[in-house]
Amino acid sequence: MTAPAAESGVTTPAAERGVTTVADRAVRRIAERAATEALAPGAVEVEGGSAAVRGRRARVGVTVTLPYPAVLDEAGESVRSHVAERTARLTGLTVPSARIRVRGLSRGLPRDQLSAGRLAPQVAATEAAGIRAHRPWSQRRLPVGVLTLLAAGACGVLLYDVVSVHAAGRAPARWRVDAMEWLATHGPDSGTATGVLAALGVFALGVWLLVLAVTPGRRSVLPMRPPLPGVRAVLDRRAVAVLLRDAVAGVPGIGQVRVKVGRRTARVRAGLEFGEREGARRAVAEAAEAAAAELGLAGPLRLRVRLRTESTAAERSTPDEPAA
């Protein structure tokens, strides 16, 4: 008579008899599909995504194009939260957060159909709590990459010479012998110009690395008001300049407009082709202030408006009257 499974020695729990693995590609496809479902149907366009699964945790990122007009921080937070929740529900993994990158804006649905009022209470609570936005820190990829390549190259060349001497019995390279002799005769107490310049160069490099370590960098973006705790949003300076320029260009009588945006100040230079100068200047300032107020920046943007009178194209093309 055959013994039952429990009596025949098969006592391994069901949870330990196998492992279910979810591939990175499957998680990425789920995150991309979830991003398209965050807002109204067809409102979000997905341009790419990424996913990394480590055990029972997954990190996902999606690059999207949001519809215009839309409040960027609210729409971005809606997409982010939906992608994280939907991916965690369908995969069974823990998705602590999702990274959403907004690459562009496209003409889409009206604003009232996009937000649907889902984030309004949360945004109001965040603003009431007084959560402060901080400038994003740069990863300093270029300086770190250059220094890493230089250090790796120098260490590789030195290691090759040392291994060739001890393993193959070759004579040490001439450059290493000359370098050791130069270092032995050009110490800090030698007082030569070459040693002083080398010391100053190393000191300057150290100061530069310290400055990179303690400063945030990324001066090309401006922080926005966080819609929710733990959410960070930034706006590119060029996008701010374009929005201010379009707002000022819509003022009657204004021709060419130039906008330069700094960290705290925006300089607007507009040309007046026709109309009263003082009234046009007030209209330009009001249009720029209204556009700046809708950007959702963390700090106020000081505006400096400069208006100059320009001749119209008709006046420039009119020939001079002949002399009597």
Side-chain angles (χ1 to χ4, degrees):
M1 182 175 61
T2 305
E7 299 178 0
S8 61
V10 183
T11 59
T12 304
E16 300 180 3
R17 297 175 189 172
V19 178
T20 301
T21 303
V22 182
D24 296 352
R25 183 174 61 178
V27 177
R28 175 178 59 83
R29 295 293 297 274
I30 293 175
E32 293 175 353
R33 181 62 180 269
T36 62
E37 303 170 352
L39 303 180
V44 180
E45 299 178 5
V46 176
E47 300 185 10
S50 62
V53 180
R54 298 293 182 270
R56 301 298 303 173
R57 297 171 63 90
R59 296 185 178 274
V60 297
V62 182
T63 301
V64 299
T65 297
L66 295 181
Y68 179 85
V71 182
L72 293 181
D73 53 357
E74 295 183 8
E77 168 57 21
S78 179
V79 175
R80 188 203 66 80
S81 60
H82 184 78
V83 168
E85 296 173 1
R86 185 69 169 170
T87 304
R89 186 185 306 113
L90 294 180
T91 61
L93 302 175
T94 301
V95 183
S97 64
R99 177 178 297 180
I100 303 300
R101 181 183 179 185
V102 181
R103 175 165 294 181
L105 301 175
S106 63
R107 180 64 65 177
L109 301 176
R111 181 179 301 179
D112 55 352
Q113 299 182 17
L114 296 176
S115 59
R118 294 200 306 166
L119 297 177
Q122 301 175 358
V123 174
T126 303
E127 294 178 353
I131 298 177
R132 183 180 178 183
H134 299 278
R135 290 182 56 195
W137 283 71
S138 174
Q139 298 181 359
R140 313 290 188 182
R141 296 180 178 177
L142 181 59
V144 173
V146 171
L147 291 178
T148 303
L149 290 177
L150 291 178
C155 293
V157 173
L158 180 61
L159 180 62
Y160 172 78
D161 185 64
V162 172
V163 171
S164 63
V165 171
H166 293 277
R170 300 178 182 177
R174 184 63 184 174
W175 61 268
R176 186 156 68 95
V177 176
D178 295 341
M180 296 301 296
E181 292 179 355
W182 186 89
L183 291 175
T185 57
H186 294 78
D189 57 346
S190 61
T192 59
T194 306
V196 174
L197 292 177
L200 290 177
V202 174
F203 176 77
L205 178 61
V207 172
W208 180 56
L209 293 177
L210 288 176
V211 171
L212 293 181
V214 300
T215 55
R218 298 196 66 181
R219 298 180 177 272
S220 61
V221 296
L222 299 176
M224 303 177 65
R225 291 190 300 269
L228 293 173
V231 178
R232 184 178 60 187
V234 295
L235 192 59
D236 192 89
R237 288 188 186 181
R238 292 173 295 182
V240 175
V242 171
L243 294 174
L244 293 178
R245 185 187 61 191
D246 293 345
V248 173
V251 176
I254 298 300
Q256 187 178 10
V257 180
R258 295 181 180 179
V259 180
K260 184 177 181 181
V261 179
R263 288 180 55 188
R264 298 182 179 89
T265 306
R267 295 177 173 84
V268 180
R269 297 182 179 180
L272 179 62
E273 294 184 348
F274 62 88
E276 194 267 328
R277 180 182 178 86
E278 193 61 29
R281 190 183 187 283
R282 288 196 301 268
V284 168
E286 293 175 357
E289 292 175 357
E294 296 179 355
L295 296 176
L297 298 178
L301 190 64
R302 294 193 296 266
L303 297 175
R304 296 182 180 179
V305 179
R306 182 179 178 183
L307 189 65
R308 64 180 184 278
T309 304
E310 292 183 350
S311 59
T312 62
E315 293 176 352
R316 289 193 298 266
S317 61
T318 302
D320 298 335
E321 296 181 358

